[in-house]
Amino acid sequence: MIIDFHTHTYPDKIAAVTVEKLKGDAGVDAHGDGTASGLSASTEEAGIDYALVLPIATNPRQVATINEVAYKTNLSANRKRLLSFGAIHPDSPDPKKVLRGIASLGIRGIKLHPDYQGVFFSDIRYKRIVEFATDLGLYIVVHAGIDIGLPDPVHTRPSDILEMIRDTGTDKLILAHMGGWRMWDEAVDLLAGEDVMIDTSFSTTAVKVEGMLDEERFVEIVRAFGAEKVLFGTDSPWASQKKSLKWIMNAPLRKDEKEMILGENAAEILKLTKDRKR
């Protein structure tokens, strides 16, 4: 089973405008139209079994709608190949209620993006969210490192993540972009021995952006964290699912390491079985 653990979609009505704006902000090409149907088609074409959508709430008012869509996405997963995490904003007026609601819907985790939510990851509001989400058994994917479209200030540095782990005791953090985009040395130094996972999204030379990880450095980081803590992700539509998958398949890793990264680790988190039934 192959699972893309890091993808994005946007509501059909605003997908085209959103993709064009983000392309301009980041200076990168899109590899899809940003819609759920487009991601479903891309996932099938790439030979990927499931793609996990990671929605971002940029204000508290979006949270309820996003989580309703996430629930409906998961209901149709076997037909459309899409799954979804939920969303929460650090300014949500009752974060415990939101998180309980997400857990009650059977959603396996949440996505946080401190750059787009305008709050540093070391903020007490995030610590309360992470601590309670952990208590509920929810996984927390967080954008880590620099954001190519919002480069300054960096809201989630490896040092912020280490502080989060120390202060909350969480064992449910998943750090996007190999632990910290373009902050990889610091991520390895501070976080490789911690009980965290990382994903491969928008980090390798499969994406034609300057400063990405070549095969040698990628393998070094995988082995620093351990393949059992690495999840295949693409950041679609901001990277080609097909090219990203091929890059990982061709990387100089052992067969068992590739199997863990490409699907085994994600299947355990998402409670998926080999017959593709949740």
Side-chain angles (χ1 to χ4, degrees):
M1 186 183 295
I2 298 173
I3 300 168
D4 183 347
F5 205 86
H6 190 136
T7 70
H8 299 285
T9 62
Y10 312 101
D12 287 356
K13 290 182 179 179
I14 63 169
V17 172
T18 302
V19 167
E20 285 303 311
K21 181 183 185 303
L22 293 174
K23 281 170 60 178
D25 291 344
V28 299
D29 292 330
H31 298 265
D33 63 7
T35 65
S37 59
L39 176 60
S40 181
S42 173
T43 301
E44 183 172 7
E45 181 186 1
I48 294 170
D49 294 285
Y50 288 104
L52 179 69
V53 178
L54 299 177
I56 301 164
T58 56
N59 66 68
R61 297 182 302 278
Q62 298 172 337
V63 169
T65 299
I66 288 173
N67 291 330
E68 182 180 355
V69 171
Y71 173 67
K72 291 178 179 177
T73 297
N74 292 335
L75 289 180
S76 61
N78 285 332
R79 179 166 52 89
K80 296 184 178 180
R81 294 179 180 251
L82 303 185
L83 293 161
S84 184
F85 269 13
I88 188 169
H89 192 276
D91 289 329
S92 293
D94 191 344
K96 287 188 174 182
K97 180 179 179 180
V98 173
L99 292 168
R100 287 193 195 99
I102 289 169
S104 72
L105 294 174
I107 297 170
R108 296 290 297 145
I110 57 173
K111 170 67 187 290
L112 303 175
H113 199 311
D115 293 301
Y116 279 95
Q117 293 176 326
V119 177
F120 288 96
F121 193 52
S122 56
D123 190 279
I124 187 61
R125 288 167 287 179
Y126 277 134
K127 289 178 181 177
R128 289 168 178 159
I129 288 169
V130 168
E131 188 170 38
F132 194 62
T134 301
D135 289 344
L136 292 171
L138 296 172
Y139 286 85
I140 305 111
V141 178
V142 60
H143 173 90
I146 299 167
D147 186 282
I148 193 171
L150 294 167
D152 189 45
V154 178
H155 287 81
T156 316
R157 295 177 176 273
S159 56
D160 298 321
I161 296 165
L162 185 61
E163 180 180 329
M164 177 67 74
I165 296 166
R166 295 285 189 265
D167 287 356
T168 67
T170 183
D171 60 355
K172 292 290 187 289
L173 280 183
I174 299 169
L175 313 177
H177 315 303
M178 295 298 286
W181 197 72
R182 287 187 177 169
M183 305 183 81
W184 292 302
D185 290 346
E186 187 179 345
V188 169
D189 290 344
L190 292 180
L191 303 171
E194 300 296 328
D195 195 359
V196 296
M197 300 186 78
I198 62 176
D199 77 33
T200 69
S201 64
F202 203 82
S203 295
T204 73
T205 53
V207 183
K208 302 306 179 185
V209 170
E210 185 179 353
M212 302 300 244
L213 296 170
D214 61 18
E215 287 186 344
E216 181 180 3
R217 186 61 178 139
F218 174 79
V219 171
E220 288 174 355
I221 295 174
V222 167
R223 290 183 174 154
F225 281 89
E228 72 281 2
K229 293 183 177 181
V230 183
L231 299 156
F232 168 60
T234 65
D235 214 6
S236 177
W238 307 113
S240 163
Q241 288 183 293
K242 184 181 290 187
K243 290 180 180 178
S244 297
L245 175 58
K246 183 179 179 181
W247 196 98
I248 300 291
M249 286 181 161
N250 290 337
L253 294 164
R254 298 190 310 270
K255 181 175 182 290
D256 65 306
E257 290 174 319
K258 291 178 185 179
E259 288 174 349
M260 284 187 279
I261 292 168
L262 290 175
E264 288 180 1
N265 297 334
E268 184 174 347
I269 291 170
L270 298 171
K271 294 187 176 179
L272 294 169
T273 59
K274 290 183 178 180
D275 62 1
R276 303 185 185 178
K277 293 180 180 179
R278 300 179 75 231

